[in-house]
Amino acid sequence: MAVDELIGQLKALEAEGLDAVRAGGDAAALEALRIEYLGRKGRLTGILRRLGELSAEERPAVGAEANRVKEALNVLLEEREAGFAGAADQGPRIDLTLPGRRRWEGGVHPVTLVIDEICDIFRDLGFSRVAGPEVETVDYNFSKLNTPLDHPAADMHDTFYLADGVVLRTHTSPAQAHVMENFQPPVRVVVPGMVYRRDPFDASHAPGFAQLEGLAVDEGITFADFKATIGEFVRRFFGADAKTRFRPSFFPFTEPSAEVDVSCRICKGAGCSACKQTGWMEIMGSGMVHPNVFEAVGYDPEKYTGYAFGMGPGRIAMQRYGLPDIRLLYESDMRFLKQFA
Ligand code: PHE
């Protein structure tokens, strides 16, 4: 009778245990049920303690039944536990209490802002915006621009040579030659871009910086056209009260040559530390295109005349935004750059 009684108890334990496991609400509840039913001091062990009351022949049947019940409970426990673990794995693990990640916001580089504004003004004055290569031959960077290779500008100390006869352009002027070789007059272009010189990287020098070339060629263009065009540009860019001054200068590829100054925007010409007490800021080199340059690109110097200029948008950006150090423009520091829109 003891055999039947024990087997009955085991079956009752199984039914009760299976119901309890099915009702177990989470992983912790299931673990508690595993301990209650199958643990070392659990209810199944409690029943099996009575195996001692049975004869050796009776024990195997009860033992087999105990194993079956244990297995049935184990299977269901594992199934339910896996269900909870699966549920916990579903979906991203998001802590909704964390502060959000701020979206990265770009800005337009201050030099690009200045270049775009300059090009917009020259577009209104009839100039197209074009680009030229940053890697040039010495032919384009110097020779076609009436600059012999023994000129100091062509010296290894000033120029990055990439290979024999191949350089990083030291100015945007070689774009003049490319434009004239590819288009017949009338030509009116502005060419913004980076140029490279073997300069130190300090508060007022950078080994790479922006330039903006201008070129106008046609029949009958005079220095008066240049003065009028630049005067108009200066008033539009710097303001109606900005004055323009032309100073004689020298460049191998222009004759005559001039440097153009604008009345200091900070002191309005009175003299301050920004303009070194002169009341003027230099904004470009310029001049009438040298006849030798026309010869070099296949234009008839008897028929055509023109003017060219090269300005520094980086320097203009420094003045406009009151920047004390040119390195701010070329170091890609996001804390600085994202202030511009
Ligand atoms: N290329 C000259 C420079 O880099 C500037 C310039 C351009 C002068 C065009 C005259 C005409 O300094």
Side-chain angles (χ1 to χ4, degrees):
M1 269 323 278
V3 175
D4 291 342
E5 191 193 332
L6 281 182
I7 287 181
Q9 280 181 11
L10 285 171
K11 285 198 195 303
L13 184 80
E14 177 188 15
E16 193 187 326
L18 288 177
D19 281 347
V21 170
R22 272 187 211 103
D26 55 29
L30 293 178
E31 186 51 27
L33 289 170
R34 180 188 295 281
I35 292 167
E36 178 186 344
Y37 283 86
L38 306 178
R40 227 161 14 93
K41 295 175 182 166
R43 291 168 62 178
L44 186 72
T45 311
I47 293 171
L48 292 181
R49 273 206 196 97
R50 294 183 53 199
L51 276 179
E53 298 170 16
L54 302 178
S55 66
E57 298 85 62
E58 291 169 322
R59 277 180 212 158
V62 177
E65 182 64 6
N67 281 338
R68 192 192 59 75
V69 169
K70 185 176 180 179
E71 181 65 12
L73 284 170
N74 251 329
V75 165
L76 189 65
L77 274 166
E78 266 162 36
E79 199 180 296
R80 298 273 297 149
E81 276 164 1
F84 285 123
D89 267 347
Q90 275 161 22
R93 297 173 187 210
I94 299 173
D95 182 347
L96 293 172
T97 66
L98 286 173
R101 231 177 254 161
R102 189 181 279 270
R103 259 227 190 171
W104 186 83
E105 255 179 72
V108 180
H109 195 284
V111 173
T112 306
L113 287 173
V114 165
I115 286 173
D116 288 348
E117 198 177 323
I118 294 170
C119 289
D120 283 353
I121 292 170
F122 277 100
R123 184 189 54 215
D124 289 350
L125 300 175
F127 288 71
S128 307
R129 177 177 180 161
V130 299
E134 293 184 7
V135 174
E136 284 286 9
T137 59
V138 292
D139 214 29
Y140 279 91
N141 199 78
F142 301 116
S143 309
K144 284 173 193 272
L145 297 171
N146 197 38
T147 310
L149 290 181
D150 57 10
H151 189 277
D155 200 289
M156 293 283 284
H157 292 292
D158 299 314
T159 305
F160 287 111
Y161 278 78
L162 301 180
D164 199 19
V166 182
V167 300
L168 288 175
R169 64 178 175 191
T170 57
H171 51 175
T172 43
S173 298
Q176 289 185 33
H178 289 295
V179 168
M180 289 190 277
E181 283 178 344
N182 286 289
F183 299 95
Q184 287 304 303
V187 155
R188 280 197 291 272
V189 292
V190 281
V191 193
M194 290 296 282
V195 303
Y196 303 89
R197 291 182 194 171
R198 294 178 58 143
D199 280 335
F201 199 24
D202 62 28
S204 52
H205 298 86
F209 57 97
Q211 258 195 0
L212 191 142
E213 193 81 6
L215 175 71
V217 182
D218 202 352
E219 289 181 50
I221 288 189
T222 68
F223 198 84
D225 295 305
F226 174 58
K227 287 182 79 172
T229 303
I230 290 305
E232 181 62 17
F233 162 73
V234 165
R235 280 187 295 278
R236 291 202 196 183
F237 187 88
F238 293 98
D241 64 336
K243 291 193 206 45
T244 310
R245 175 172 87 168
F246 297 82
R247 263 187 302 113
S249 185
F250 174 81
F251 298 100
F253 34 93
T254 47
E255 180 59 34
S257 301
E259 253 147 1
V260 180
D261 297 340
V262 173
S263 50
C264 179
R265 304 326 297 142
I266 294 159
C267 62
K268 305 286 176 192
C272 67
S273 64
C275 60
K276 300 197 183 87
Q277 310 303 329
T278 64
W280 297 93
M281 324 177 303
E282 183 199 320
I283 58 162
M284 65 177 89
S286 63
M288 299 304 289
V289 179
H290 197 291
N292 290 355
V293 176
F294 284 148
E295 297 263 15
V297 299
Y299 275 12
D300 181 354
E302 297 298 326
K303 190 173 176 195
Y304 297 115
T305 52
Y307 58 81
F309 54 88
M311 50 181 140
R315 210 192 280 172
I316 294 173
M318 287 174 72
Q319 288 157 1
R320 167 160 290 192
Y321 301 112
L323 309 178
D325 191 318
I326 196 174
R327 286 170 290 199
L328 287 167
L329 294 176
Y330 299 114
E331 279 179 335
S332 303
D333 186 333
M334 285 308 301
R335 294 167 302 180
F336 168 72
L337 292 176
K338 71 182 178 190
Q339 303 174 69
F340 299 88

